Amino acid sequence: MMMSAIGALVGLVLSIVLIVRKLSPVYSLLLGALVGGLLGGLGIEATATTMVSGVKDITPAIVRILAAGVLSGVLIKSGAAESISHTIVEKLGRKQVYLALALSVMLLTAVGVFVDVAVITVAPVAIMIGRKLGASRFKILLAMIGGGKCGNIISPNPNTIIAAENMEAPLSSVMFAGLVPAIIGLLVTVYVIIPLMPNSDLYTPTSDKEEDGSGTKALPSFWASVAGPLVAIALLALRPLAGVAIDPLVALPVGGIVGIATTRTWNKAGESISFGLEKMSVVAVLLVGTGAIAGIIKASSLTDLLIGVMGSGEGGRVLLAPLAGAIMSAATASTTAGATVASASFGQTILAAGIPAVWGAAMINAGATVLDHLPHGSFFHATGGSVEMSIKQRLRLIPYESLVGLVLATCSTLAYLLS
C-alpha cells in the first residue's frame, strides 16, 4: 500500500532540520526516513524493509562512484588540475579574468573533479588575480561557482552517475545532453549575471611584481593533464557513437591510469588512488542515507501529490524532473544527494509520463544545481572559505548562484522541448 504523503514530507522536513542543526547528514536522513515511514502508516518492519530497498536500488551507482575516485584522485594529486587551471587563466589573460576562472572550474569539474575541490584548487590563483586587479571578491567566487555548476551537469561526477543509473540512461548521453545548457550557463554567468552584481568587497590591489606562485613547483603539461579525462570520456562515448558499451566502472579508472602515465606520477599512484577513494567514500556513505529516504518517498504518495499540484498536463509532467531536482537539492544542500533522491523517488513517474530516460536524468541533474549551495551543506562553507569570505558575506551570494542554477535548469528543459 502507498503510505501517506504527509509522513514522507514530515520525514524529509525532519532531515532538513537535523542537518541544519549540524547533525550528521547521513544519520539525519536515516532518522527522517524512519520517522517518515512510521508516521505514514508503515510498521517498524515494513519501514526498515523499505529503507533497505531504497539503499539497494542505488548500490550499483555507489560502486561506480567509488571507481570514479581513481580519476578524481589522479587529477588532484598529480598536479593535473592545477596545470589545467593555470593554463586557461594564462591564455585568456586579465581582460577575460571572470571567463578564465569560470572556464577553469568548469573544465576541472567536467573531467571528474568534485565541484568544491575544483573551486578550492583554482581559488589561490583567483585570489592572486583579485588582489592584482582590485576585483570584487563576490564576482571572483561567483565566476568559479558558476563554472562549477556548468561543469557539474556534463561531468562523470557522482550526481551525473547516480541520475543516469536511476533513470537507466547511458552516462555519456546524459553528459552530452547537458552540454548546450552548460555552455549557455557559462556565458550567462560571465556576461550577464556577474555584471549585474554590485562591485563591492574589493580585494586590496597589490603590485604587478608580486608573483602568482604558479612557478613554485613543476606541473605536468596541459595535454598530459587532460589525456586521462579525455580517454575516460572517449570510452564512455563509444556506447552512443559505436554501440560499444564501456561501463563507467571500467572507463573512469582506465582514465585515471592513463593520467598517471601521461603525467609520469607513478610514485604518487597509491597516494592518488587513496585520496580519490577517501573523497568518494564520503559521498558513498551519504548516499546510504539518501537512498533510505528516497525509498520512503518512492513508496509514498508524495509523488502523486506533487503531480496533482503541478497539474496533469504535458507542461506539469515536463517540469516534474527539474523541479524534483531543485526541491531535493534544497532539502539536502547537495547536488549529489538532491539528484539521488529526485531520480530514485520520481524517476519511474517521469518515465511513465513519456519523457526519455536521458532527458529525465539531464533535467533532474540540472535542477539539482539550483539550490545545492544552501548554508546547511558543506559546499557553502568550503567555497566561502576558499576566498577568505565570512559566512555573512557568503550568504549574500546565494541569490546569484541560485540564478545560475535556474538558468541551467531552464536551458535543460528547453533543450528537451526543442529536441
Side-chain angles (χ1 to χ4, degrees):
M1 294 180 61
M2 295 289 283
M3 59 171 286
S4 167
I6 295 177
L9 191 59
V10 170
L12 184 59
V13 171
L14 175 62
S15 297
I16 298 171
V17 171
L18 293 175
I19 291 173
V20 171
R21 301 288 293 181
K22 304 302 181 183
L23 185 67
S24 164
V26 179
Y27 288 122
S28 298
L29 292 165
L30 288 174
L31 184 57
L34 178 62
V35 171
L38 294 176
L39 289 181
L42 294 176
I44 294 179
E45 184 176 354
T47 298
T49 301
T50 304
M51 291 169 62
V52 171
S53 177
V55 176
K56 189 184 299 182
D57 288 343
I58 65 170
T59 300
I62 291 177
V63 175
R64 291 178 173 86
I65 286 168
L66 290 175
V70 177
L71 177 59
S72 179
V74 168
L75 285 168
I76 297 299
K77 288 300 181 178
S78 68
E82 288 182 72
S83 174
I84 293 169
S85 63
H86 279 298
T87 300
I88 293 174
V89 171
E90 180 182 336
K91 294 298 182 183
L92 290 179
R94 296 185 180 186
K95 291 184 179 179
Q96 296 291 340
V97 58
Y98 298 124
L99 176 62
L101 294 175
L103 189 59
S104 296
V105 180
M106 178 180 175
L107 185 55
L108 290 181
T109 310
V111 298
V113 179
F114 276 2
V115 61
D116 54 347
V117 176
V119 172
I120 292 170
T121 300
V122 178
V125 178
I127 292 174
M128 194 61 64
I129 293 175
R131 287 174 176 166
K132 284 186 176 182
L133 302 181
S136 166
R137 192 187 311 265
F138 291 103
K139 293 184 177 183
I140 289 286
L141 182 54
L142 183 65
M144 293 191 291
I145 289 176
K149 286 179 181 288
C150 295
N152 222 12
I153 66 173
I154 57 173
S155 71
N157 271 340
N159 52 292
T160 318
I161 293 174
I162 200 80
E165 183 71 29
N166 284 340
M167 298 295 289
E168 299 181 0
L171 175 60
S172 55
S173 298
V174 176
M175 292 163 59
F176 183 76
L179 184 58
V180 172
I183 294 173
I184 295 175
L186 178 74
L187 296 176
V188 170
T189 298
V190 173
Y191 296 112
V192 178
I193 299 178
I194 289 179
L196 290 176
M197 299 177 69
N199 201 35
S200 57
D201 194 29
L202 305 181
Y203 282 105
T204 303
T206 57
S207 171
D208 285 347
K209 295 181 180 180
E210 183 177 344
E211 296 293 335
D212 63 6
S214 61
T216 57
K217 64 178 180 178
L219 294 174
S221 70
F222 176 80
W223 291 111
S225 299
V226 299
L230 288 179
V231 167
I233 293 171
L235 290 174
L236 292 172
L238 287 176
R239 179 170 181 171
L241 295 179
V244 179
I246 304 294
D247 196 281
L249 187 63
V250 175
L252 298 177
V254 167
I257 294 171
V258 171
I260 292 174
T262 56
T263 58
R264 300 179 181 180
T265 52
W266 294 106
N267 60 323
K268 294 183 178 180
E271 180 186 359
S272 300
I273 294 172
S274 297
F275 178 82
L277 179 61
E278 179 184 350
K279 288 292 182 180
M280 294 300 180
S281 296
V282 174
V283 178
V285 173
L286 175 63
L287 290 180
V288 172
T290 57
I293 200 163
I296 295 296
I297 294 173
K298 186 177 180 179
S300 76
S301 56
L302 184 59
T303 305
D304 297 329
L305 179 63
L306 183 58
I307 293 174
V309 172
M310 296 173 60
S312 58
E314 182 179 357
R317 293 196 299 269
V318 171
L319 290 177
L320 177 60
L323 185 60
I327 292 174
M328 295 309 166
S329 71
T332 59
S334 164
T335 319
T336 300
T340 301
V341 178
S343 57
S345 304
F346 300 93
Q348 293 305 313
T349 303
I350 292 169
L351 293 175
I355 297 174
V358 169
W359 284 109
M363 287 190 286
I364 286 175
N365 203 20
T369 67
V370 177
L371 294 167
D372 59 343
H373 45 265
L374 294 182
H376 55 285
S378 60
F379 179 78
F380 173 91
H381 301 281
T383 53
S386 70
V387 293
E388 306 165 353
M389 186 177 284
S390 68
I391 292 179
K392 185 177 180 180
Q393 291 173 318
R394 180 68 181 83
L395 287 169
R396 290 163 53 190
L397 199 65
I398 289 178
Y400 299 101
E401 52 193 327
S402 300
L403 185 56
V404 174
L406 186 59
V407 168
L408 293 176
T410 301
C411 289
S412 181
T413 303
L414 290 174
Y416 161 64
L417 293 173
L418 296 173
S419 65

